[in-house]
Amino acid sequence: MNCDIEDIQECPADSNLAGKVAVCDGCPGKDLCLSQVSQPDPDQQVIDLRLKAIKHKILVLSGKGGVGKSSVSAMLSQMLANDGKKVGLLDVDICGPSIPSLLGIADQPIVDSQWGWKPVLSSCGKIKTLSVGSLLSSGSQAVVWRGPRKTSLIRRMIKDTLWGRLDALIVDTPPGTSDEHLTIVKLLAAAKPDGAVIVTSPQKLSAGVVSREIRFCQKMKVPVLGIIENMSGFTCTCCSEVTQIFSSGAGEYLAKKYGIPFLGALPLDTRLIVAQEKGLNIEDLHPQSPVVLQMRKILREILVMVGEIAVPH
């Protein structure tokens, strides 16, 4: 008998039902889930208090790796900071953190004060940033952790961090729909995050994988603000003409299939690569770059959706 992946039942979306429903029977983790659910979370009140001081919480997600989630997260944060907003950037990619390098803070450690962890401030925009990459002794150090330890660290990143009052907290996530995603969604639930921005690459192959992330959001009741198709075409640095070098259309295909907004397509631009490798803000260096102009349009759409910009009647 063939096994169909669609027939495999998933963990219950409601954490309060973990270990209690029929799908949990026979699962080796049932007892652990029951032990966690049976007791109220003593830290949730502190977490909720921290999050109340943050006006907007936006997740950046994708089921597939290598589509540029971290690059998109960094650009969103930098543009908000350029607009005078107080911004935080939380990197919950435990095993492959990229944010410290993209913001030029790879050599700056997290300070553990008597009041909690102090996020590192980026030189461009003074973005409050927290990443496991800033907690490691070396950038080449491997993080070999099981799920419970990842969960514990992500809890600390919110509960024990001095985020202060922020206009926006951007949460950069790893690929997939596993421990990190379940943990951050559960912790943010009471604070009602504004939603998720889904990132895909142009190929239809990517669409099949990214669609799982959209279904994850639907199951976990996380609003999807829209889809960004990243690396959609190549920008000539001489004339700024964008040429399609891959197959395209994955973003619009997913938007139509699931009835969610298509925010736009971001082209490849070598100037963006150079800027982010140096930890700089491309908008400061090349404000007329097609990727900058398009990201500005995308950011405006997001701000309209979260109620930050009023739409004229």
Side-chain angles (χ1 to χ4, degrees):
M1 179 178 177
N2 293 330
C3 178
D4 188 346
I5 189 67
E6 296 294 336
D7 294 333
I8 299 177
Q9 292 181 289
E10 301 167 330
C11 297
D14 186 347
S15 298
N16 293 321
L17 298 177
K20 299 178 181 179
V21 295
V23 69
C24 302
D25 294 341
C27 174
K30 180 177 180 179
D31 291 339
L32 176 61
C33 288
L34 282 172
S35 66
Q36 293 176 339
V37 171
S38 60
Q39 299 294 330
D41 187 348
D43 297 329
Q44 192 62 49
Q45 187 175 0
V46 178
I47 291 170
D48 293 343
L49 187 63
R50 294 272 196 202
L51 294 174
K52 278 184 180 179
I54 302 173
K55 188 173 182 181
H56 297 294
K57 281 79 66 177
I58 298 173
L59 300 159
V60 179
L61 303 169
S62 178
K64 188 168 179 59
V67 299
K69 293 181 302 300
S70 297
S71 177
V72 168
S73 298
M75 280 195 289
L76 285 174
S77 301
Q78 289 170 332
M79 287 187 175
L80 284 167
N82 275 1
D83 291 343
K85 304 296 184 183
K86 294 180 180 178
V87 185
L89 180 50
L90 173 59
D91 181 5
V92 297
D93 191 342
I94 304 300
C95 296
S98 303
I99 292 299
S101 296
L102 296 179
L103 294 188
I105 56 171
D107 59 343
Q108 298 183 40
I110 300 293
V111 175
D112 189 4
S113 72
Q114 59 180 317
W115 301 283
W117 285 345
K118 294 180 66 177
V120 176
L121 287 179
S122 69
S123 58
C124 296
K126 303 299 180 185
I127 300 165
K128 290 185 177 181
T129 309
L130 190 67
S131 169
V132 70
S134 300
L135 297 169
L136 301 175
S137 58
S138 167
S140 61
Q141 182 179 344
V143 179
V144 187
W145 289 358
R146 297 187 186 275
R149 194 169 182 189
K150 291 181 183 179
T151 298
S152 177
L153 177 61
I154 293 171
R155 292 172 62 83
R156 283 204 66 188
M157 284 176 149
I158 297 179
K159 180 179 76 72
D160 295 339
T161 302
L162 297 171
W163 291 109
R165 292 192 178 277
L166 297 176
D167 294 303
L169 176 67
I170 307 297
V171 182
D172 182 40
T173 66
T177 56
S178 193
D179 294 301
E180 295 93 333
H181 307 79
L182 290 168
T183 300
I184 196 68
V185 168
K186 180 184 176 184
L187 294 176
L188 294 178
K192 294 182 172 55
D194 295 87
V197 172
I198 307 292
V199 182
T200 183
S201 58
Q203 303 92 333
K204 290 290 177 68
L205 176 62
S206 177
V209 181
V210 175
S211 63
R212 298 170 195 162
E213 197 76 40
I214 297 173
R215 292 199 292 270
F216 167 82
C217 290
Q218 292 172 338
K219 183 171 183 178
M220 301 302 295
K221 297 181 174 56
V222 177
V224 177
L225 299 174
I227 298 175
I228 295 174
E229 183 176 294
N230 196 26
M231 300 183 286
S232 184
F234 177 79
T235 303
C236 174
T237 55
C238 296
C239 65
S240 292
E241 180 181 353
V242 177
T243 304
Q244 296 299 324
I245 56 175
F246 302 124
S247 61
S248 61
E252 290 183 282
Y253 165 79
L254 288 169
K256 184 177 179 180
K257 179 178 179 180
Y258 291 99
I260 54 183
F262 177 61
L263 296 174
L266 297 174
L268 286 165
D269 191 329
T270 55
R271 292 168 294 189
L272 172 63
I273 298 169
V274 172
Q276 291 194 328
E277 284 182 344
K278 294 180 179 179
L280 302 175
N281 184 347
I282 186 174
E283 188 175 36
D284 296 338
L285 302 174
H286 306 286
Q288 296 304 311
S289 162
V291 71
V292 171
L293 297 176
Q294 190 62 23
M295 180 56 89
R296 266 289 162 195
K297 293 179 182 178
I298 290 172
L299 177 58
R300 187 183 190 284
E301 289 296 316
I302 294 173
L303 293 176
V304 168
M305 290 180 193
V306 302
E308 195 65 22
I309 295 179
V311 180
H313 296 290

